[in-house]
Amino acid sequence: MNILVILKQVPDLVEELEINDDGTDLDRTWMRYIPSEYDEHALEQAILLKEEHGGTVTALCLRIGEVDDTLFTAAARGADRLVRIEGDFEGISSRDAAAVYADHIRRGNYDLVLTGVQAHDDLNGPVGARLAAQLEIPYVGVVSGMHLDPETGVIHLHKEYPGGLLTVIRTELPAVVGIQSAVKPPRYVPIAKIRQASKSAEIGEETAEPQSLTPGYTVRRVFKPEGGGRAEIIDGAPEDIAARLVSIFSEHGLVR
Amino acid sequence: MSISIFVIAEHLEGTLADMTFEMLGKARQLADEHGGMVTAVLAGYNVAQLAEQLGAADALILIEDELLAEFAPQPYQDVISGLIRERAPGLVMVGSTSMGLDLAAALATTLNVPMLSSCIDLSVEDDAYVVTSQLYGGKIMMETAVTAGTAIAQILPGAFRAEDGQRAGTPTLEEIPPGLHPENFRMRFENFIKPEAGDIDITQAPILVSVGRGIQTQENIALAEELAEALGGSVSSSRPIVDQDWLPVTRQVGKSGMSVKPRLYLALGISGAPEHVEGMKNADLIVAVNTDPDAPIFSVAHYGVVADIFDVMPALEERLGERVS
């Protein structure tokens, strides 16, 4: 069972996001990147599958910002193989990224590709769905559980709907799966273990020229939502804030 | 320009999803303003009786097959991509839902047409569909224009009002054969797993103290529990808390969790990503506490406090205690 996990680097939302001078994209000069949270769940799910059924887990990153730490962390968590693809990928769309991933996968021998169900910057939709369509293999997203039958090469995927409802979809391998959340929260690895991985694990390097086809739309404007929106902001010391909140609750008949 | 919009209807267990009406309402408004046609596309099995609720559309294309009874991506993709290729509508509206997230990007890839996700607003200007997408956890908006051919817009739940699309009356019905080839599909729907009832039904709670990532540790949930008790409410949460196993999934608000409409929703350390907001934005009173002044939650909250929840929670609990004694 060979599993590929796609780890995408996305802007860290804890940092202030800046918009470029002509207002058509983010300014990425000082951007800090972190792995997309859903992809970390995809990695955890891959490692859980490996622990249950054996096989290998390959973690793949396009070089966007600093990715080696992301890959070494994946190794410390249990990934067996690390791949970094070099190229001009900053701001790449999920559509164009899917083509790069598809190319790698065609040259590999993977039974299952796991990726996050979406990333917060996917203007062109989830990369997993695009990748599977390019490879003409099955895709199921919004998945938070699975049961693999290695004998038959079939995977039963638990797909989420509102209100906690799940459907089970039986899918033949190879397939791409968009992970909403792993069965268990992504495991914690101590820094020492990551440091150790950075010494022992090797990162396989590939290069790719991303295609940049015309997207079929034009970006007219990139902007931040109106400042503060509609909330009336309550300032003051915690006691003053508490007093004001209780009086608001009282006006709404929520406290006696 | 005369517009032509396809709305991909969603239904689950025999009921049309609100998402369908939200999209139909917006499509109807654009067609009324600019002239043109709204077509609902309903794929399923034994779903013809749902047609009478789709009066907001001018036309309905009904595709029925046993393989479409419940959603599985491949068969749905197959029939809908064939239909779009043949009819070439200007815009196809798909929900940013469990079904739509599997469908829209796959359709766009197969058909080689542009697709824009996380759409929160839609208009028609100078022969172009103008799509506003809400990205980066709700922190950045992107306005794009699609001028030629077919485009797919993936609409965020709650972006438009369901009431605007809820019109009785059956649109002109066209039934088309699915022409599915089961042997081509390498997946199929197997069964539903119904949620187990939780200890508390948060959809019925009048007051929700809802915690997000800002709560930091599992131990701190007890602080929220205490505050909820002082307010006579229950504790709910955003997705990351459930993913960490700090609270059961029955307490989760938002996409794939519950939609709630309490009298008070007190959001503590919740940033307000679109996936969360869709489940709580209709609460009567929303109060948000977050250290980040740019947190999107402040654009849906009625009152906001830019502060550390660990300062506000005890002060609030104390104040509530004083009133009782």
Side-chain angles (χ1 to χ4, degrees):
Chain A
M1 183 76 181
N2 295 320
I3 307 171
L4 177 71
V5 180
I6 293 170
L7 297 170
K8 183 188 179 186
Q9 299 283 100
V10 294
D12 187 350
L13 296 182
V14 171
E15 308 280 320
E16 177 100 1
L17 299 174
E18 303 286 346
I19 292 163
N20 70 6
D21 289 343
D22 56 0
T24 56
D25 197 359
L26 292 180
D27 181 346
R28 298 173 197 275
T29 320
W30 305 106
M31 197 165 275
R32 204 176 100 87
Y33 290 96
I34 55 168
S36 173
E37 193 180 345
Y38 297 110
D39 293 353
E40 304 229 58
H41 278 271
L43 174 64
E44 181 62 34
Q45 189 60 58
I47 293 164
L48 292 171
L49 282 175
K50 184 184 91 162
E51 286 171 351
E52 198 182 338
H53 301 285
T56 64
V57 173
T58 302
L60 173 71
C61 259
L62 300 187
R63 168 72 171 270
I64 299 172
E66 184 48 60
V67 300
D68 289 5
D69 279 352
T70 299
L71 288 168
F72 289 133
T73 305
R77 285 182 168 148
D80 306 280
R81 230 182 111 220
L82 311 176
V83 179
R84 181 184 68 221
I85 304 186
E86 296 280 343
D88 183 15
F89 299 130
E90 247 193 337
I92 191 172
S93 70
S94 52
R95 187 192 64 162
D96 295 342
V100 177
Y101 298 134
D103 192 46
H104 172 88
I105 292 165
R106 283 194 194 98
R107 285 181 284 110
N109 176 30
Y110 298 111
D111 304 295
L112 181 63
V113 179
L114 300 185
T115 185
V117 62
Q118 56 186 340
H120 63 58
D121 61 349
D122 279 343
L123 178 64
N124 293 163
V127 77
R130 288 190 168 271
L131 175 60
Q134 290 199 9
L135 294 169
E136 297 183 334
I137 61 175
Y139 173 77
V140 181
V142 202
V143 167
S144 60
M146 57 184 66
H147 168 73
L148 173 74
D149 184 351
E151 299 295 309
T152 53
V154 162
I155 193 159
H156 304 268
L157 299 164
H158 297 187
K159 177 172 174 61
E160 287 194 357
Y161 286 87
L165 181 69
L166 299 170
T167 65
V168 182
I169 299 185
R170 177 192 191 278
T171 305
E172 290 169 29
L173 299 178
V176 181
V177 178
I179 299 291
Q180 172 79 48
S181 64
V183 175
K184 290 181 185 168
R187 64 195 65 195
Y188 170 78
V189 284
I191 300 278
K193 209 172 162 194
I194 299 170
R195 219 174 272 145
Q196 192 189 333
S198 73
K199 289 182 186 130
S200 56
E202 260 181 55
I203 297 178
E205 204 179 296
E206 298 179 8
T207 50
E209 289 275 330
Q211 54 175 350
S212 51
L213 303 168
T214 34
Y217 59 84
T218 50
V219 178
R220 302 213 306 190
R221 195 159 71 100
V222 174
F223 59 103
K224 296 187 181 181
E226 311 308 312
R230 67 182 177 129
E232 180 186 324
I233 298 295
I234 302 165
D235 289 320
E239 306 75 58
D240 304 330
I241 290 167
R244 177 83 176 100
L245 288 178
V246 172
S247 99
I248 292 164
F249 297 163
S250 173
E251 283 162 30
H252 284 79
L254 295 161
V255 290
R256 270 164 297 171
Chain B
M1 87 183 196
S2 176
I3 65 175
S4 157
I5 302 179
F6 274 23
V7 171
I8 309 301
E10 280 192 37
H11 55 88
L12 195 60
E13 300 187 289
T15 307
L16 285 163
D18 273 354
M19 189 73 236
T20 305
F21 299 114
E22 291 169 21
M23 294 191 290
L24 275 177
K26 188 66 190 179
R28 182 73 266 155
Q29 182 210 328
L30 293 175
D32 288 347
E33 283 172 15
H34 300 274
M37 174 115 171
V38 177
T39 305
V41 177
L42 181 59
Y45 189 56
N46 293 331
V47 289
Q49 79 286 355
L50 298 175
E52 62 189 36
Q53 298 170 48
L54 296 170
D58 301 298
L60 169 65
I61 295 175
L62 180 66
I63 314 163
E64 292 208 282
D65 191 287
E66 214 173 335
L67 281 170
L68 302 170
E70 306 297 345
F71 179 72
Q74 270 188 337
Y76 269 71
Q77 224 169 284
D78 195 52
V79 291
I80 294 172
S81 65
L83 180 68
I84 296 172
R85 188 177 281 124
E86 184 191 311
R87 307 289 172 100
L91 189 73
V92 180
M93 293 172 80
V94 181
S96 189
T97 55
S98 189
M99 168 175 150
L101 278 165
D102 287 6
L103 214 46
L107 290 172
T109 306
T110 306
L111 297 166
N112 194 22
V113 299
M115 176 249 170
L116 296 155
S117 73
S118 306
C119 168
I120 196 154
D121 202 8
L122 192 59
S123 61
V124 174
E125 287 173 38
D126 308 328
D127 286 351
Y129 293 99
V130 176
V131 178
T132 306
S133 298
Q134 188 185 29
L135 296 164
Y136 301 92
K139 288 191 157 185
I140 294 286
M141 313 290 255
M142 288 183 89
E143 190 183 282
T144 49
V146 196
T147 41
T150 299
I152 299 174
Q154 185 165 53
I155 314 293
L156 285 177
F160 308 120
R161 284 157 38 100
E163 302 86 77
D164 296 344
Q166 283 161 336
R167 296 194 199 175
T170 305
T172 314
L173 179 70
E174 179 189 358
E175 202 165 340
I176 63 168
L180 292 173
H181 301 284
E183 65 278 10
N184 294 344
F185 301 139
R186 295 176 48 216
M187 64 168 68
R188 63 161 196 265
F189 166 87
E190 282 192 311
N191 58 279
F192 283 109
I193 300 176
K194 308 267 176 176
E196 285 171 29
D199 53 344
I200 286 164
D201 181 359
I202 58 169
T203 63
Q204 299 302 315
I207 293 178
L208 286 174
V209 174
S210 206
V211 295
R213 221 185 285 272
I215 199 76
Q216 292 178 5
T217 67
Q218 184 166 19
E219 291 67 43
N220 289 339
I221 300 232
L223 302 174
E225 298 276 5
E226 281 171 27
L227 182 56
E229 196 174 320
L231 276 164
S234 307
V235 172
S236 59
S237 80
S238 62
R239 174 105 208 179
I241 303 303
V242 171
D243 282 346
Q244 289 296 326
D245 286 341
W246 294 351
L247 280 172
V249 67
T250 49
R251 303 289 190 102
Q252 184 192 327
V253 173
K255 186 194 284 302
S256 76
M258 305 294 171
S259 282
V260 296
K261 196 179 174 301
R263 293 179 61 207
L264 169 64
Y265 191 84
L266 178 56
L268 300 173
I270 290 178
S271 68
E275 295 79 22
H276 182 73
V277 168
E278 76 173 74
M280 49 63 77
K281 69 185 173 59
N282 293 320
D284 293 345
L285 177 66
I286 301 170
V287 178
V289 185
N290 202 298
T291 48
D292 178 1
D294 295 327
I297 192 78
F298 291 126
S299 57
V300 288
H302 301 93
Y303 295 95
V305 178
V306 182
D308 190 329
I309 58 169
F310 300 109
D311 293 333
V312 176
M313 280 198 291
L316 188 53
E317 202 183 322
E318 194 181 325
R319 186 78 189 187
L320 289 163
E322 281 167 18
R323 290 176 64 90
V324 175
S325 54

